[in-house]
Amino acid sequence: MNTRPPASRPPGNRPPGNRPPGGGSRPPYRPPFKPNFPPRPPRSAERRFEKERDPNEPNINHYIKAEKIRLIDAAGEMVGIVSANEGRRMAEEAGLDLVEISPNAEPPVCKILDYGKYKYQQQKKQQEAKKKQKVIEIKEIKLRPGIDKHDLEIKMRHVMEFLKEGDKVKFTLRFRGREMAHQEIGMKLLVSIKEQLKDLVKIDQEPSSEGRQMVMMVSPAK
């Protein structure tokens, strides 16, 4: 085991990098410059809440800005025009919330109710309405001028299913090579389909030529 003490540097024998320039004494220590900006004022609790709130939610309790409101009590009875403070007091006595249900009225209409229950009911209504909404899709049926009778019957069964579901149907009949010289065959096919569906559909686009294809669009008759 090596017990030799580390070699000591003789006094005054500092490394060149630690020597002050010119051989003089070190300059006095200067702390880094820190600009003296005024302190930022604290954000109010109301501003913080407004940033976190959903803008689609109604104003409730002390977030109602109007001084006068048209009040409906918890039983659904019209109280009349009162101050917002009076409405908040009545809601607090009932253990409920004061909710602004018609902010654009003059004065705004507010109701005393359980906001948690009210919000749940509103979300449930939106979900029910969303379920009832049908997204209309456009289903494409591709045809050829020389399609045989059996294949056409299969495609027409698909068309009936699409129409029953409320979707639009786009018929696309494509020509290849020399078939372009006999476009009347394709027009005759689309016209026959149109006649077959005339009592079930509304014609959104009559049979027409688009380059090397013919197109017809139909939607369910209402």
Side-chain angles (χ1 to χ4, degrees):
M1 183 174 178
N2 188 6
T3 57
R4 290 180 57 188
S8 60
R9 184 181 292 118
N13 189 15
R14 292 187 301 180
N18 291 342
R19 294 178 184 175
S25 61
R26 288 181 177 274
Y29 171 75
R30 293 181 181 178
F33 174 73
K34 293 183 179 180
N36 188 19
F37 292 122
R40 179 181 296 177
R43 281 193 306 171
S44 65
E46 182 177 348
R47 287 184 59 193
R48 287 197 300 271
F49 181 78
E50 287 178 352
K51 279 198 170 185
E52 296 169 359
R53 288 184 66 201
D54 185 349
N56 297 322
E57 291 185 0
N59 292 325
I60 65 171
N61 299 329
H62 61 281
Y63 296 102
I64 297 173
K65 307 296 183 184
E67 294 183 1
K68 295 288 185 179
I69 60 172
R70 190 178 301 275
L71 182 63
I72 302 173
D73 64 14
E77 298 292 333
M78 178 65 70
V79 176
I81 298 176
V82 299
S83 67
N85 289 334
E86 177 66 14
R88 283 189 282 266
R89 184 192 65 77
M90 293 174 63
E92 187 175 351
E93 287 181 355
L96 300 171
D97 302 296
L98 183 65
V99 181
E100 191 177 54
I101 58 175
S102 296
N104 297 326
E106 186 60 39
V109 179
C110 299
K111 188 174 182 180
I112 297 175
L113 47 80
D114 183 344
Y115 180 64
K117 185 177 179 181
Y118 171 79
K119 187 176 180 180
Y120 171 75
Q121 291 174 345
Q122 292 297 110
Q123 290 176 346
K124 194 172 181 180
K125 287 180 181 178
Q126 291 175 359
Q127 290 173 356
E128 291 295 329
K130 196 171 182 180
K131 287 180 182 178
K132 292 179 181 179
Q133 290 178 350
K134 175 67 173 69
V135 178
I136 298 176
E137 298 182 5
I138 298 177
K139 304 293 187 177
E140 185 176 14
I141 296 294
K142 296 182 180 181
L143 303 171
R144 295 297 310 281
I147 185 171
D148 61 53
K149 183 179 179 181
H150 177 68
D151 291 343
L152 182 59
E153 289 176 353
I154 294 175
K155 288 183 179 292
M156 291 306 295
R157 283 201 294 268
H158 292 162
V159 170
M160 300 302 292
E161 292 175 1
F162 297 149
L163 294 173
K164 188 176 180 181
E165 293 174 359
D167 296 322
K168 294 186 176 186
V169 179
K170 178 181 180 181
F171 295 92
T172 304
L173 191 147
R174 185 174 294 276
F175 298 96
R176 293 181 183 175
R178 296 180 182 180
E179 292 175 347
M180 284 293 294
H182 303 283
Q183 295 190 28
E184 69 277 1
I185 299 176
M187 180 61 71
K188 184 179 179 181
L189 175 60
L190 291 181
V191 170
S192 67
I193 294 174
K194 175 183 172 183
E195 287 297 319
Q196 185 178 345
L197 299 174
K198 64 180 180 180
D199 296 331
L200 303 173
V201 301
K202 177 181 68 174
I203 305 299
D204 296 329
Q205 181 180 345
E206 293 286 346
S208 60
S209 297
E210 295 182 0
R212 301 187 66 87
Q213 65 183 18
M214 285 187 177
V215 175
M216 181 175 69
M217 180 93 69
V218 300
S219 59
K222 295 182 180 178

